[in-house]
Amino acid sequence: MKVAIGSDKSGFTLKEAIKAYLCSDEAKAAGVQFDPARDDLGTTDVADVHPYYRVAGDVAPKVLAGEYDRAILICGTGAGMNVVSNKFKGLSAVVCEGVYSARMARVINGAQVLCMGGWIIAPELGIEMAKAFLGAETYVGIEEWRKDWLSAAAAKVKEIEDENFSD
């Protein structure tokens, strides 16, 4: 799975911690494909700051185009990255503050982008959240009736999206 990461200045410290995990043998063994020179798409030096709206605006189309399977975006609260990412039709981004919600955002909602807050999430927790998000698959590990219900719900959400996004 190809993964991108990006942050603004407020998310830089957390991003660097998660980036170290993404470069680790553990992540590689889990199927993560990440090249820090290519796949870190945000602020790479706090002297050269990229604003959250630019980072999310650069990453979202790359996920939609299939250049990346998933992305992790980090700003101060995660909300800014989340709002901008969800402006792209067909993309599902979530802001999470815990391991369970990061995992279930994939399992239940099929989210492609995990947003976090660098002011909120400790590096160790952020790494565990990234592992949970990247290690989960949509509808895997839940009851059959729930899969059916969620699949139908996803179709309804797609209808809502189509009604509210003009081409």
Side-chain angles (χ1 to χ4, degrees):
M1 142 190 17
K2 297 174 285 184
V3 177
I5 195 167
S7 77
D8 63 6
K9 183 177 182 178
S10 299
F12 182 78
T13 300
L14 179 56
K15 181 206 57 155
E16 289 298 302
I18 295 170
K19 188 166 85 171
Y21 162 72
L22 295 174
C23 293
S24 72
D25 290 338
E26 178 185 356
K28 288 182 182 113
V32 172
Q33 297 173 25
F34 180 80
D35 176 348
R38 180 191 65 224
D39 304 327
D40 183 347
L41 303 174
T43 298
T44 55
D45 179 345
V46 290
D48 182 25
V49 177
H50 300 260
Y52 75 90
Y53 54 86
R54 181 173 149 205
V55 176
D58 288 345
V59 173
K62 292 177 184 203
V63 174
L64 283 171
E67 189 174 331
Y68 294 100
D69 300 303
R70 302 209 192 125
I72 299 170
L73 297 175
I74 308 162
C75 60
T77 63
M81 293 287 194
N82 186 59
V83 167
V84 174
S85 295
N86 282 309
K87 298 297 183 195
F88 290 82
K89 184 178 181 181
L91 193 75
S92 179
V94 293
V95 60
C96 295
E97 294 182 6
V99 174
Y100 183 76
S101 60
R103 179 177 175 277
M104 296 312 282
R106 278 289 308 148
V107 172
I108 291 175
N109 304 107
Q112 303 118 304
V113 179
L114 173 62
C115 301
M116 293 188 228
W119 298 334
I120 300 166
I121 306 296
E124 297 81 7
L125 177 58
I127 291 166
E128 292 305 312
M129 289 170 62
K131 288 179 188 179
F133 180 76
L134 298 174
E137 292 299 332
T138 306
Y139 306 151
V140 173
I142 58 175
E143 305 92 336
E144 199 60 39
W145 70 266
R146 192 177 307 268
K147 290 178 192 178
D148 294 341
W149 190 90
L150 290 169
S151 181
K156 292 294 185 186
V157 170
K158 173 86 171 78
E159 287 176 20
I160 293 167
E161 180 181 53
D162 288 344
E163 290 170 6
N164 288 288
F165 278 84
S166 60
D167 291 333

